[in-house]
mmCIF file of all heavy atoms in Angstrom:
data_model
loop_
_atom_site.group_PDB
_atom_site.id
_atom_site.type_symbol
_atom_site.label_atom_id
_atom_site.label_comp_id
_atom_site.label_asym_id
_atom_site.label_seq_id
_atom_site.Cartn_x
_atom_site.Cartn_y
_atom_site.Cartn_z
ATOM 1 N N CYS A 568 0.326 0.292 5.084
ATOM 2 C CA CYS A 568 -0.310 1.262 4.187
ATOM 3 C C CYS A 568 -1.122 2.275 4.977
ATOM 4 O O CYS A 568 -1.103 3.478 4.702
ATOM 5 C CB CYS A 568 -1.181 0.523 3.177
ATOM 6 S SG CYS A 568 -2.067 1.605 2.034
ATOM 7 N N ARG A 569 -1.825 1.795 5.976
ATOM 8 C CA ARG A 569 -2.635 2.704 6.801
ATOM 9 C C ARG A 569 -1.763 3.712 7.528
ATOM 10 O O ARG A 569 -2.116 4.885 7.654
ATOM 11 C CB ARG A 569 -3.453 1.892 7.802
ATOM 12 C CG ARG A 569 -4.294 2.724 8.763
ATOM 13 C CD ARG A 569 -5.103 1.826 9.668
ATOM 14 N NE ARG A 569 -4.262 0.905 10.421
ATOM 15 C CZ ARG A 569 -3.593 1.242 11.530
ATOM 16 N NH1 ARG A 569 -3.647 2.482 11.987
ATOM 17 N NH2 ARG A 569 -2.875 0.340 12.165
ATOM 18 N N ARG A 570 -0.585 3.274 7.975
ATOM 19 C CA ARG A 570 0.297 4.158 8.729
ATOM 20 C C ARG A 570 0.941 5.232 7.851
ATOM 21 O O ARG A 570 1.185 6.350 8.311
ATOM 22 C CB ARG A 570 1.379 3.339 9.427
ATOM 23 C CG ARG A 570 0.841 2.433 10.533
ATOM 24 C CD ARG A 570 1.960 1.557 11.092
ATOM 25 N NE ARG A 570 1.428 0.629 12.085
ATOM 26 C CZ ARG A 570 1.326 0.921 13.395
ATOM 27 N NH1 ARG A 570 1.705 2.108 13.825
ATOM 28 N NH2 ARG A 570 0.837 0.028 14.234
ATOM 29 N N VAL A 571 1.274 4.876 6.581
ATOM 30 C CA VAL A 571 1.996 5.847 5.739
ATOM 31 C C VAL A 571 1.090 6.464 4.675
ATOM 32 O O VAL A 571 1.580 7.169 3.797
ATOM 33 C CB VAL A 571 3.191 5.144 5.065
ATOM 34 C CG1 VAL A 571 4.128 4.570 6.110
ATOM 35 C CG2 VAL A 571 2.731 4.053 4.103
ATOM 36 N N PHE A 572 -0.190 6.184 4.740
ATOM 37 C CA PHE A 572 -1.091 6.636 3.670
ATOM 38 C C PHE A 572 -1.074 8.153 3.515
ATOM 39 O O PHE A 572 -1.030 8.678 2.404
ATOM 40 C CB PHE A 572 -2.511 6.140 3.970
ATOM 41 C CG PHE A 572 -3.473 6.410 2.844
ATOM 42 C CD1 PHE A 572 -3.513 5.577 1.734
ATOM 43 C CD2 PHE A 572 -4.318 7.521 2.870
ATOM 44 C CE1 PHE A 572 -4.392 5.838 0.695
ATOM 45 C CE2 PHE A 572 -5.186 7.765 1.821
ATOM 46 C CZ PHE A 572 -5.232 6.923 0.735
ATOM 47 N N ASP A 573 -1.098 8.880 4.658
ATOM 48 C CA ASP A 573 -1.141 10.345 4.580
ATOM 49 C C ASP A 573 0.244 10.936 4.367
ATOM 50 O O ASP A 573 0.392 11.946 3.673
ATOM 51 C CB ASP A 573 -1.744 10.917 5.875
ATOM 52 C CG ASP A 573 -3.212 10.522 6.031
ATOM 53 O OD1 ASP A 573 -3.896 10.399 4.995
ATOM 54 O OD2 ASP A 573 -3.666 10.310 7.183
ATOM 55 N N ARG A 574 1.312 10.321 4.933
ATOM 56 C CA ARG A 574 2.640 10.905 4.848
ATOM 57 C C ARG A 574 3.343 10.592 3.531
ATOM 58 O O ARG A 574 4.077 11.419 3.012
ATOM 59 C CB ARG A 574 3.515 10.388 6.015
ATOM 60 C CG ARG A 574 2.952 10.733 7.387
ATOM 61 C CD ARG A 574 4.014 10.511 8.481
ATOM 62 N NE ARG A 574 4.581 9.170 8.438
ATOM 63 C CZ ARG A 574 4.070 8.146 9.099
ATOM 64 N NH1 ARG A 574 2.977 8.291 9.825
ATOM 65 N NH2 ARG A 574 4.649 6.959 9.022
ATOM 66 N N ASP A 575 3.150 9.379 3.001
ATOM 67 C CA ASP A 575 3.898 8.970 1.805
ATOM 68 C C ASP A 575 2.970 8.176 0.883
ATOM 69 O O ASP A 575 2.935 6.949 0.917
ATOM 70 C CB ASP A 575 5.103 8.127 2.217
ATOM 71 C CG ASP A 575 6.087 7.945 1.058
ATOM 72 O OD1 ASP A 575 5.680 8.161 -0.102
ATOM 73 O OD2 ASP A 575 7.247 7.568 1.316
ATOM 74 N N PRO A 576 2.179 8.855 0.022
ATOM 75 C CA PRO A 576 1.241 8.134 -0.867
ATOM 76 C C PRO A 576 1.953 7.138 -1.794
ATOM 77 O O PRO A 576 1.394 6.111 -2.164
ATOM 78 C CB PRO A 576 0.581 9.260 -1.658
ATOM 79 C CG PRO A 576 0.743 10.477 -0.798
ATOM 80 C CD PRO A 576 2.059 10.315 -0.096
ATOM 81 N N GLY A 577 3.223 7.416 -2.170
ATOM 82 C CA GLY A 577 3.929 6.495 -3.056
ATOM 83 C C GLY A 577 4.143 5.136 -2.402
ATOM 84 O O GLY A 577 3.907 4.076 -3.010
ATOM 85 N N LYS A 578 4.605 5.142 -1.164
ATOM 86 C CA LYS A 578 4.807 3.878 -0.456
ATOM 87 C C LYS A 578 3.478 3.178 -0.192
ATOM 88 O O LYS A 578 3.378 1.949 -0.247
ATOM 89 C CB LYS A 578 5.538 4.122 0.858
ATOM 90 C CG LYS A 578 6.999 4.520 0.667
ATOM 91 C CD LYS A 578 7.702 4.627 2.013
ATOM 92 C CE LYS A 578 9.182 4.958 1.802
ATOM 93 N NZ LYS A 578 9.907 5.070 3.096
ATOM 94 N N ALA A 579 2.457 4.005 0.070
ATOM 95 C CA ALA A 579 1.135 3.397 0.276
ATOM 96 C C ALA A 579 0.650 2.714 -0.992
ATOM 97 O O ALA A 579 0.074 1.617 -0.963
ATOM 98 C CB ALA A 579 0.131 4.459 0.726
ATOM 99 N N ARG A 580 0.891 3.349 -2.133
ATOM 100 C CA ARG A 580 0.482 2.753 -3.406
ATOM 101 C C ARG A 580 1.241 1.446 -3.651
ATOM 102 O O ARG A 580 0.687 0.457 -4.123
ATOM 103 C CB ARG A 580 0.740 3.749 -4.543
ATOM 104 C CG ARG A 580 0.195 3.271 -5.892
ATOM 105 C CD ARG A 580 0.448 4.305 -6.983
ATOM 106 N NE ARG A 580 -0.205 5.573 -6.670
ATOM 107 C CZ ARG A 580 0.442 6.667 -6.283
ATOM 108 N NH1 ARG A 580 1.765 6.644 -6.161
ATOM 109 N NH2 ARG A 580 -0.219 7.783 -6.013
ATOM 110 N N THR A 581 2.535 1.447 -3.330
ATOM 111 C CA THR A 581 3.324 0.220 -3.480
ATOM 112 C C THR A 581 2.785 -0.894 -2.589
ATOM 113 O O THR A 581 2.692 -2.067 -2.996
ATOM 114 C CB THR A 581 4.788 0.493 -3.140
ATOM 115 O OG1 THR A 581 5.286 1.518 -4.004
ATOM 116 C CG2 THR A 581 5.628 -0.776 -3.304
ATOM 117 N N ALA A 582 2.435 -0.536 -1.348
ATOM 118 C CA ALA A 582 1.889 -1.537 -0.436
ATOM 119 C C ALA A 582 0.559 -2.081 -0.938
ATOM 120 O O ALA A 582 0.275 -3.284 -0.850
ATOM 121 C CB ALA A 582 1.718 -0.935 0.968
ATOM 122 N N LEU A 583 -0.294 -1.226 -1.495
ATOM 123 C CA LEU A 583 -1.573 -1.686 -2.027
ATOM 124 C C LEU A 583 -1.368 -2.630 -3.219
ATOM 125 O O LEU A 583 -2.105 -3.614 -3.391
ATOM 126 C CB LEU A 583 -2.426 -0.484 -2.451
ATOM 127 C CG LEU A 583 -2.979 0.377 -1.300
ATOM 128 C CD1 LEU A 583 -3.675 1.624 -1.846
ATOM 129 C CD2 LEU A 583 -3.953 -0.436 -0.458
ATOM 130 N N THR A 584 -0.341 -2.317 -4.057
ATOM 131 C CA THR A 584 -0.042 -3.212 -5.181
ATOM 132 C C THR A 584 0.387 -4.591 -4.671
ATOM 133 O O THR A 584 -0.023 -5.628 -5.204
ATOM 134 C CB THR A 584 1.068 -2.615 -6.051
ATOM 135 O OG1 THR A 584 0.641 -1.330 -6.545
ATOM 136 C CG2 THR A 584 1.387 -3.529 -7.225
ATOM 137 N N ALA A 585 1.216 -4.579 -3.632
ATOM 138 C CA ALA A 585 1.647 -5.857 -3.051
ATOM 139 C C ALA A 585 0.476 -6.617 -2.453
ATOM 140 O O ALA A 585 0.394 -7.851 -2.540
ATOM 141 C CB ALA A 585 2.725 -5.609 -1.993
ATOM 142 N N ILE A 586 -0.451 -5.868 -1.825
ATOM 143 C CA ILE A 586 -1.643 -6.514 -1.271
ATOM 144 C C ILE A 586 -2.462 -7.161 -2.378
ATOM 145 O O ILE A 586 -2.957 -8.293 -2.250
ATOM 146 C CB ILE A 586 -2.489 -5.497 -0.491
ATOM 147 C CG1 ILE A 586 -1.756 -5.064 0.790
ATOM 148 C CG2 ILE A 586 -3.862 -6.074 -0.143
ATOM 149 C CD1 ILE A 586 -2.452 -3.950 1.528
ATOM 150 N N GLU A 587 -2.604 -6.452 -3.514
ATOM 151 C CA GLU A 587 -3.363 -6.994 -4.639
ATOM 152 C C GLU A 587 -2.730 -8.286 -5.162
ATOM 153 O O GLU A 587 -3.413 -9.292 -5.399
ATOM 154 C CB GLU A 587 -3.435 -5.955 -5.749
ATOM 155 C CG GLU A 587 -4.196 -6.442 -6.984
ATOM 156 C CD GLU A 587 -4.172 -5.418 -8.108
ATOM 157 O OE1 GLU A 587 -3.502 -4.374 -7.950
ATOM 158 O OE2 GLU A 587 -4.817 -5.669 -9.138
ATOM 159 N N GLN A 588 -1.401 -8.278 -5.334
ATOM 160 C CA GLN A 588 -0.719 -9.479 -5.817
ATOM 161 C C GLN A 588 -0.834 -10.630 -4.823
ATOM 162 O O GLN A 588 -1.083 -11.783 -5.203
ATOM 163 C CB GLN A 588 0.754 -9.155 -6.091
ATOM 164 C CG GLN A 588 0.969 -8.182 -7.247
ATOM 165 C CD GLN A 588 2.434 -7.833 -7.445
ATOM 166 O OE1 GLN A 588 3.277 -8.227 -6.644
ATOM 167 N NE2 GLN A 588 2.725 -7.090 -8.512
ATOM 168 N N SER A 589 -0.666 -10.310 -3.544
ATOM 169 C CA SER A 589 -0.774 -11.363 -2.530
ATOM 170 C C SER A 589 -2.181 -11.933 -2.484
ATOM 171 O O SER A 589 -2.375 -13.143 -2.303
ATOM 172 C CB SER A 589 -0.387 -10.810 -1.150
ATOM 173 O OG SER A 589 0.963 -10.426 -1.130
ATOM 174 N N ALA A 590 -3.192 -11.088 -2.650
ATOM 175 C CA ALA A 590 -4.571 -11.570 -2.628
ATOM 176 C C ALA A 590 -4.836 -12.515 -3.793
ATOM 177 O O ALA A 590 -5.466 -13.564 -3.631
ATOM 178 C CB ALA A 590 -5.536 -10.386 -2.661
ATOM 179 N N ARG A 591 -4.353 -12.149 -4.970
ATOM 180 C CA ARG A 591 -4.553 -13.011 -6.134
ATOM 181 C C ARG A 591 -3.837 -14.363 -5.932
ATOM 182 O O ARG A 591 -4.393 -15.424 -6.247
ATOM 183 C CB ARG A 591 -4.031 -12.320 -7.384
ATOM 184 C CG ARG A 591 -4.893 -11.141 -7.822
ATOM 185 C CD ARG A 591 -4.275 -10.432 -9.012
ATOM 186 N NE ARG A 591 -5.124 -9.319 -9.460
ATOM 187 C CZ ARG A 591 -4.776 -8.473 -10.419
ATOM 188 N NH1 ARG A 591 -3.593 -8.605 -11.022
ATOM 189 N NH2 ARG A 591 -5.582 -7.493 -10.759
ATOM 190 N N THR A 592 -2.602 -14.272 -5.432
ATOM 191 C CA THR A 592 -1.876 -15.520 -5.187
ATOM 192 C C THR A 592 -2.587 -16.370 -4.150
ATOM 193 O O THR A 592 -2.706 -17.599 -4.291
ATOM 194 C CB THR A 592 -0.450 -15.212 -4.717
ATOM 195 O OG1 THR A 592 0.205 -14.412 -5.703
ATOM 196 C CG2 THR A 592 0.340 -16.500 -4.495
#
């Protein structure tokens, strides 16, 4: 997410969603 945050916000958002799910699990 840190690497693609500026170039591709959509992929960064997807990665953050995955991080949220993984954290809850």
Side-chain angles (χ1 to χ4, degrees):
C568 178
R569 177 178 57 80
R570 293 175 184 271
V571 301
F572 187 80
D573 294 327
R574 300 194 306 271
D575 193 342
K578 290 185 177 180
R580 187 179 300 107
T581 301
L583 289 174
T584 301
I586 291 173
E587 179 184 4
Q588 293 177 354
S589 296
R591 289 176 178 175
T592 302

